C-alpha cells in the first residue's frame, strides 16, 4: 500500500551527509514544523561500532555489535554527556522497548566493583567511588570494557532482543532518563535474518490453548483419533455424578465440537448375552472406521460408528490388563497379568502364549518386531521378540518399584517411553536408557506425532491435597523425540488428577490438535496449537533518490495468523511510532530527503506473542538530474552569482549550473554572508545570525542533528527565516507531502 501520512516529522537519526544544501534546509523546516526534539540518534551504519544518543543528549558508543562470539567477547563502551548527579550501570540487558527498564541484565548489575559483565559509574565524589565504582570524567564521560555472552542467568539473547545499555543505578531504578540502548547480535543471529526478534516470547514459540471441553462421553478412560474416518473414539465408564444415565461404552464424537455421533453401550458378556459394558482400553483402529477395544473383565470387542452393539469374545483366565494390535489384521495381543497371548479376534483362541517373570502392561512395536513389557512391581522392563515370542532382554526401571504409569513406543524411532511415578524413562530400541524426564506430577500417558517428531506426555496430579507436592492440576508437556528438549510451553490442566483414573491422550497428525481426558471431571479437553509469529521474509536496508517510490516487504507465519503493522523511528531506534494505515505485508511510500537515516521495522502480533523484524535503514540521496540540483534561487535574486536580491534571510543561492556539488555562490542576508561547502562535496550550511558578521561552511548557530551535518537554527531565528522565505518553504513543502512519516 502507499502511505501518505503527511510531512516528515523530523530529520533522521544517523542521516548521511547531504549532497546539496537544500536537503538540510527542508529537513530543518520539517523538524521545526513538527515540533520533534533533536538529540536521540544512532549511527545508520549496520556494521560496528555503533553510536546512540539518549533522551538528554547522552552519547553512547559500543565497539562491536554484530557477529559477536556467543561464548564471550569483550567490548569497549564509551559515553559522554551524562549527568553528574545520577549513577549508571553499563551492561548487556534484555531490551524491553521504549520507556521500559532494560532488565534483566546478563551477569546482573555490578554492585561489588569486581564484575566483568557490567560496570558501575558514579558522579565524582560519590560515596561509592573507588573500589566499587568508577567516576565520570569531564563532561560526563566514561570509557569501560565489559565481557558479554549470548547466554547467562537463564537469559538467551538468541531468543530475546538484547542491547548494551546504560541505565540508572539501583538508587534511582525508576529513572528512565539514563536509558540509552544499542542492540547487539551474536554470530548466527545477525540482524535482518528471517525469524525475527520475539518481544514477549521467542519468535516461533509453540503453545497449546484449551479450545473446548467435551462432556458427552461419561468418564473417559481412553482415546483414539481414527486415522481414516477422523472420528474421535472415547472408551468410557459410568460417571457417578450423572446417576440418571449410565454412560459406559464406546462413544464416537465429532472431533471438532465434541458432539456425540454414536454410542455403543453393549457388548457380549461371559455367556454371550449383550450387557452394558465400559470400554476400558482401545487397542487400535479397524480399516476405514471403527476400533478394537477391551471391555471388562475379559472381553475383546470391535465396533464402529452407527453399530447398535459391539461384536466380541470373552476370554478364559484372569482380567485383561492391556491390549494392542496383533501381528496380523485378525489378531490382537492381550496381557492378562504376566501372561502374554496373541489371540484370534473372531474366536478368542490363543495362537501363542508366553508367561513373563511379572508385569501388567506393554507396548508393541510391530515395525521392529518387538514388544516391551513393564513390570512396575519389580522395576523391570522386558523385551519380547515378536517373531520367536520369547524374552530377548530385561532392563532396570529405576525408581519404578510399586509405581503405576504407562508404556508406549515411538513408531518413528522405536524408543520406548515408560512413565513411572514423576518420571518418564526413555530407552532406545536396544534397551539402552537414553533420558530420564522428570515432572512435578505423575506420568500417566504418552502419544507421538511422527509428522513433527514430537512426544506428548500427560502428567496428572496425585489429587491428595494433604501432600504438599499436589495442587490438583495436571500438565501437558511436549518434547522433541530426538533430543528430548521441551518443544512447547507447558499446558496447565486444572483439576486433572488421578484419584478417579488415569489421563489419556490422542494427537491429530501434525500436532495441530491434542485431546486429553480427565476422568475425575468427566471431560475431554481439546487443545489447539498456537505459534507466535516467526518472520519468514525480512526487509533489507535500501537506498533511494529523493522523490522515488520505495517498498519494504515483510512476512511472517504463526497460528493464529498474525497481523502486521509497520513502525518508523526517526531517532535511531530509540523510539518508534506506527506508520498510519500501514497494516499489510508491503510498505510503499515516496522517499524524501528528510527521511534519510530513518529506520523501519514490521511488527507481527497474534494471541501468542509479538515478533518484530530487525530494523532496516532508509538512505535517501538527492536527485542529481536536471538543473535544479545546484539549489533553488533565492527570491528575485540573480541566479548567476547566487545573491538573494530580496534581502530576505536564508535564500538558497547557487550558480544554478545543475552540478551535484555543494553550493558555490555567495548569499546576502541582512548584511551577513553565508558560505557553503565547495563544489563536489556534501557541504553543510552555516546558519545566519541576525546583524552583521560572516558565516562559514562549518556547522554553527543552533546546533546540528547528530551525525547529519545539517544545521538546526534556534526556534526563534528559524521562525523568522521561515516567514521571510515563506514562498521557498511552501514550494518545498509541497514536494514533501508524501512519505512513510
Amino acid at each position: 500500500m502507499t502511505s501518505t501520512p503527511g510531512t516528515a516529522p523530523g530529520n533522521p537519526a544517523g542521516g548521511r551527509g547531504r549532497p546539496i544544501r537544500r536537503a538540510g534546509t527542508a529537513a530543518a523546516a520539517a523538524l521545526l514544523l513538527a515540533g520533534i526534539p533533536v538529540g536521540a540518534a544512532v549511527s545508520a551504519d549496520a556494521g560496528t561500532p555503533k553510536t546512540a544518543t539518549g533522551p538528554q543528549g547522552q552519547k553512547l558508543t559500543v565497539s562491536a555489535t554484530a557477529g559477536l562470539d556467543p561464548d564471550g567477547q569483550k567490548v569497549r563502551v564509551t559515553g559522554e554527556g551524562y549527568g553528574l548527579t545520577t549513577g549508571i550501570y553499563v551492561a548487556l540487558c534484555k531490551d524491553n522497548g521504549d520507556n521500559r527498564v532494560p532488565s534483566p541484565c546478563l551477569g546482573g548489575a555490578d554492585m561489588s566493583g569486581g564484575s566483568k559483565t557490567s560496570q558501575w559509574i558514579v558522579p565524582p565524589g560519590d560515596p561509592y567511588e573507588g573500589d566499587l565504582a568508577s567516576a565520570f570524567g569531564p563532561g560526563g564521560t566514561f570509557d569501560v570494557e565489559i565481557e558479554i555472552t549470548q547466554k547467562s542467568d537463564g537469559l538467551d539473547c538468541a531468543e530475546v532482543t538484547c542491547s548494551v545499555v546504560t541505565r540508572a543505578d539501583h538508587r534511582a531504578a525508576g529513572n528512565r532518563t539514563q536509558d540509552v540502548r544499542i542492540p547487539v547480535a551474536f554470530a548466527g543471529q545477525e540482524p535482518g535474518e528471517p525469524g525475527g526478534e520475539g518481544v514477549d516470547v521467542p519468535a516461533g514459540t509453540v503453545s497449546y490453548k484449551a479450545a473446548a471441553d467435551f462432556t458427552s462421553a461419561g468418564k473417559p478412560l481412553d482415546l483414539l483419533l481414527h486415522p481414516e474416518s477422523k472420528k474421535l473414539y472415547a472408551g468410557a465408564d459410568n460417571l457417578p455424578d450423572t446417576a440418571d444415565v449410565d454412560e459406559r461404552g464406546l462413544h464416537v464424537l465429532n472431533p471438532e465440537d465434541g458432539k456425540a455421533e454414536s454410542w455403543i453401550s453393549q457388548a457380549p458378556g461371559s455367556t454371550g448375552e449383550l450387557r452394558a459394558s465400559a470400554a476400558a482400553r482401545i487397542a487400535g483402529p479397524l480399516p476405514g472406521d471403527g476400533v478394537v477395544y477391551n471391555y471388562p473383565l475379559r472381553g475383546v470387542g470391535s465396533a464402529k460408528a452407527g453399530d447398535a452393539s459391539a461384536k466380541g469374545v470373552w476370554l478364559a483366565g484372569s482380567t485383561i490388563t492391556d491390549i494392542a494390535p496383533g501381528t496380523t489384521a485378525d489378531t490382537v495381543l492381550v496381557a492378562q497379568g504376566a501372561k502374554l497371548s496373541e489371540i484370534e479376534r473372531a474366536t478368542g483362541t490363543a495362537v501363542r502364549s508366553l508367561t513373563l517373570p511379572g508385569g501388567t502392561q506393554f507396548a508393541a512395536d510391530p515395525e521392529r518386531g518387538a514388544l516391551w513389557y513393564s513390570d512396575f512391581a519389580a522395576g523391570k522392563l522386558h523385551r519380547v521378540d515378536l517373531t520367536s515370542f520369547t524374552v530377548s532382554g530385561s532392563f532396570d526401571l529405576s525408581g519404578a518399584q510399586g509405581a503405576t504409569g504407562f508404556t508406549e513406543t515411538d513408531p518413528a524411532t522405536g524408543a520406548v517411553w515408560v512413565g513411572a511415578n514423576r518420571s518418564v524413562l526413555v530407552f532406545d530400541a536396544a534397551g539402552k536408557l537414553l533420558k530420564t524426564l522428570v515432572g512435578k506430577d505423575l506420568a500417566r500417558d504418552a502419544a507421538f506425532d511422527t509428522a513433527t517428531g514430537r512426544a506428548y506426555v500427560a502428567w496428572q496430579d496425585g489429587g491428595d491435597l494433604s501432600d504438599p507436592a499436589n495442587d490438583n492440576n495436571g500438565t501437558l508437556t511436549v518434547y522433541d523425540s530426538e533430543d528430548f528438549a521441551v518443544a512447547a510451553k507447558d499446558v496447565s490442566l486444572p483439576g486433572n488428577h488421578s484419584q478417579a483414573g488415569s489421563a489419556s491422550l490422542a494427537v491429530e497428525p501434525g500436532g495441530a490438535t491434542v485431546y486429553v481426558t480427565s476422568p475425575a471431571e468427566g471431560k475431554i479437553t481439546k487443545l489447539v496449537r498456537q505459534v507466535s509469529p516467526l518472520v519468514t521474509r525480512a526487509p533489507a536496508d535500501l537506498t533511494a533518490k529523493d522523490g522515488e517510490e520505495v517498498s519494504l516487504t515483510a512476512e511472517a507465519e504463526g497460528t493464529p495468523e498474525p497481523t502486521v503493522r509497520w513502525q518508523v523511528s526517526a531517532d535511531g531506534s530509540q523510539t518508534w511510532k506506527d506508520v498510519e494505515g500501514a497494516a499489510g505485508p508491503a510498505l510503499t511510500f515516496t522517499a524524501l530527503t528528510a527521511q534519510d537515516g530513518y529506520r523501519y521495522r514490521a511488527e507481527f502480533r497474534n494471541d501468542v506473542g509479538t515478533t518484530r523484524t530487525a530494523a532496516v535503514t532508509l538512505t535517501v540521496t538527492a536527485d542529481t538530474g536536471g538543473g535544479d540540483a545546484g539549489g533553488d534561487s533565492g527570491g528575485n535574486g540573480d541566479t548567476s552569482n547566487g545573491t538573494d536580491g530580496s534581502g530576505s534571510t536564508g535564500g538558497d543561492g547557487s550558480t544554478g549550473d545543475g552540478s551535484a556539488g555543494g553550493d558555490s555562490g555567495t548569499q546576502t542576508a541582512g548584511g551577513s554572508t553565508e558560505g557553503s561547502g565547495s563544489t563536489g562535496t556534501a557541504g553543510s550550511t552555516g546558519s545566519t545570525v541576525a546583524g552583521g558578521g560572516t558565516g562559514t561552511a562549518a556547522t554553527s548557530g543552533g546546533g546540528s542533528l547528530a551525525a547529519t551535518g545539517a544545521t538546526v537554527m534556534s526556534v526563534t531565528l528559524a521562525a523568522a527565516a521561515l516567514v521571510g522565505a515563506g514562498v521557498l518553504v511552501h514550494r518545498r513543502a509541497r514536494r514533501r507531502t508524501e512519505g512513510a512519516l
Side-chain angles (χ1 to χ4, degrees):
M1 63 170 290
T2 300
S3 176
T4 57
T7 305
N11 219 344
R16 307 296 204 275
R18 304 298 194 273
I20 55 174
R21 180 180 161 204
R22 68 170 181 174
T25 308
L31 173 73
L32 292 166
L33 287 169
I36 299 297
V38 178
V42 68
S43 170
D45 186 1
T48 56
K50 283 188 178 180
T51 296
T53 55
Q56 294 185 336
Q58 308 98 317
K59 182 179 179 181
L60 178 69
T61 301
V62 179
S63 63
T65 59
L68 302 175
D69 185 350
D71 295 327
Q73 179 171 333
K74 292 181 180 179
V75 294
R76 181 185 179 191
V77 186
T78 59
E80 61 183 68
Y82 283 78
L84 298 180
T85 59
T86 305
I88 64 169
Y89 291 123
V90 180
L92 176 68
C93 305
K94 181 176 181 288
D95 193 332
N96 296 309
D98 306 336
N99 203 34
R100 299 279 298 277
V101 59
S103 177
C105 296
L106 284 77
D110 179 25
M111 291 184 288
S112 65
S115 173
K116 294 181 179 179
T117 58
S118 64
Q119 294 289 336
W120 188 7
I121 305 168
V122 296
D126 188 280
Y128 291 105
E129 179 184 357
D131 293 338
L132 296 179
S134 57
F136 286 113
T141 59
F142 65 83
D143 188 340
V144 298
E145 189 176 69
I146 60 174
E147 186 169 336
I148 60 178
T149 59
Q150 179 176 299
K151 295 182 181 181
S152 178
D153 302 321
L155 197 68
D156 187 349
C157 292
E159 297 180 347
V160 299
T161 301
C162 293
S163 293
V164 172
V165 307
T166 58
R167 45 172 282 196
D169 66 23
H170 61 281
R171 296 171 294 179
N175 182 355
R176 302 274 61 80
T177 65
Q178 305 305 310
D179 290 354
V180 189
R181 319 186 311 269
I182 297 181
V184 298
F186 290 84
Q189 184 224 341
E190 300 305 317
E193 289 185 351
E197 303 166 349
V199 176
D200 38 14
V201 297
T205 294
V206 178
S207 63
Y208 282 85
K209 176 184 178 181
D213 286 328
F214 302 161
T215 57
S216 56
K219 178 182 175 180
L221 303 177
D222 201 8
L223 291 177
L224 184 142
L225 186 62
H226 199 282
E228 296 177 61
S229 70
K230 309 303 180 185
K231 299 181 187 298
L232 181 63
Y233 282 82
D237 201 352
N238 183 50
L239 190 66
D241 293 346
T242 55
D244 56 328
V245 179
D246 185 345
E247 300 103 337
R248 286 181 291 178
L250 187 68
H251 295 260
V252 186
L253 308 179
N254 182 319
E256 293 299 320
D257 55 20
K259 291 183 178 179
E261 295 188 354
S262 187
W263 175 24
I264 298 93
S265 62
Q266 295 189 319
S270 58
T271 64
E273 295 183 2
L274 294 176
R275 64 175 190 177
S277 300
R281 185 166 177 84
I282 300 174
L286 291 171
D289 188 28
V291 297
V292 177
Y293 69 103
N294 157 233
Y295 56 92
L297 296 171
R298 302 191 299 275
V300 177
S302 62
K304 64 180 184 298
D307 286 349
S309 60
K311 299 177 181 179
V313 295
W314 194 262
L315 304 185
S318 59
T319 299
I320 293 175
T321 56
D322 210 346
I323 188 170
T327 58
T328 70
D330 299 323
T331 63
V332 291
L333 294 164
V334 174
Q336 293 174 281
K339 181 182 178 181
L340 173 68
S341 302
E342 184 168 17
I343 67 166
E344 294 178 344
R345 287 195 296 108
T347 64
T349 302
V351 177
R352 48 186 180 170
S353 296
L354 169 68
T355 300
L356 287 88
T360 55
Q361 66 176 226
F362 64 86
D365 181 12
E367 182 73 20
R368 295 163 187 83
L371 180 144
W372 299 87
Y373 214 100
S374 294
D375 182 356
F376 291 107
K380 290 291 185 179
L381 176 66
H382 305 293
R383 186 184 188 278
V384 176
D385 184 281
L386 285 177
T387 301
S388 63
F389 225 62
T390 58
V391 176
S392 58
S394 295
F395 313 93
D396 289 333
L397 288 177
S398 178
Q401 288 81 354
T404 57
F406 66 83
T407 309
E408 298 289 347
T409 54
D410 181 352
T413 65
V416 57
W417 293 52
V418 181
N421 285 322
R422 299 178 188 273
S423 298
V424 177
L425 309 176
V426 184
F427 299 83
D428 68 11
K432 177 184 176 182
L433 181 64
L434 299 175
K435 188 74 174 180
T436 299
L437 306 171
V438 179
K440 63 185 183 70
D441 293 312
L442 302 172
R444 283 296 182 254
D445 196 17
F448 304 89
D449 176 41
T450 56
T452 60
R454 299 288 186 257
Y456 298 76
V457 175
W459 305 85
Q460 212 171 13
D461 188 74
D464 180 5
L465 296 182
S466 64
D467 184 345
N470 294 329
D471 60 4
N472 215 37
N473 298 325
T475 307
L476 174 70
T477 305
V478 185
Y479 299 95
D480 186 295
S481 60
E482 289 288 344
D483 60 11
F484 312 110
V486 174
K489 294 177 64 176
D490 281 357
V491 183
S492 178
L493 303 173
N496 198 325
H497 60 75
S498 62
Q499 294 292 305
S502 295
S504 61
L505 292 169
V507 180
E508 180 184 43
T513 309
V514 179
Y515 303 89
V516 187
T517 68
S518 178
E521 299 174 287
K523 72 179 184 182
I524 301 167
T525 299
K526 177 183 179 180
L527 302 167
V528 294
R529 182 176 59 201
Q530 299 186 125
V531 184
S532 68
L534 181 72
V535 175
T536 56
R537 181 177 180 181
D541 292 344
L542 57 85
T543 299
K545 293 181 180 180
D546 181 31
E548 181 181 354
E549 186 173 86
V550 296
S551 184
L552 297 168
T553 303
E555 297 174 351
E557 59 185 18
T559 307
E561 184 176 352
T563 59
V564 61
R565 64 179 183 179
W566 286 88
Q567 297 178 324
V568 61
S569 174
D571 55 16
S573 299
Q574 293 298 304
T575 60
W576 292 86
K577 66 181 297 184
D578 293 344
V579 178
E580 184 179 352
L587 173 65
T588 302
F589 58 95
T590 301
L592 310 177
T593 52
Q595 297 163 292
D596 181 32
Y598 276 22
R599 309 197 84 195
Y600 295 86
R601 70 187 182 192
E603 182 178 87
F604 294 92
R605 292 184 174 187
N606 65 10
D607 293 344
V608 190
T610 300
T611 302
R612 297 170 181 151
T613 63
V616 298
T617 303
L618 171 65
T619 301
V620 184
T621 62
D623 186 352
T624 57
D628 189 44
D632 295 320
S633 62
N636 298 318
D638 181 359
T639 58
S640 63
N641 60 14
T643 301
D644 186 351
S646 67
S648 62
T649 304
D652 255 353
S654 74
T655 60
D657 61 0
S659 65
D663 299 325
S664 59
T666 61
Q667 300 171 329
T668 303
S672 298
T673 301
E674 178 180 341
S676 65
S678 61
T679 302
T681 66
S684 303
T685 59
S687 64
T688 302
V689 186
T694 301
T696 68
T699 55
S700 60
S704 63
L705 294 175
T708 67
T711 300
V712 180
M713 299 173 285
S714 71
V715 174
T716 302
L717 293 177
L722 291 173
V723 172
V727 175
L728 175 64
V729 172
H730 175 70
R731 184 171 70 247
R732 290 175 182 173
R734 284 189 301 167
R735 296 180 189 158
R736 291 160 173 79
T737 54
E738 286 197 334
L741 291 186

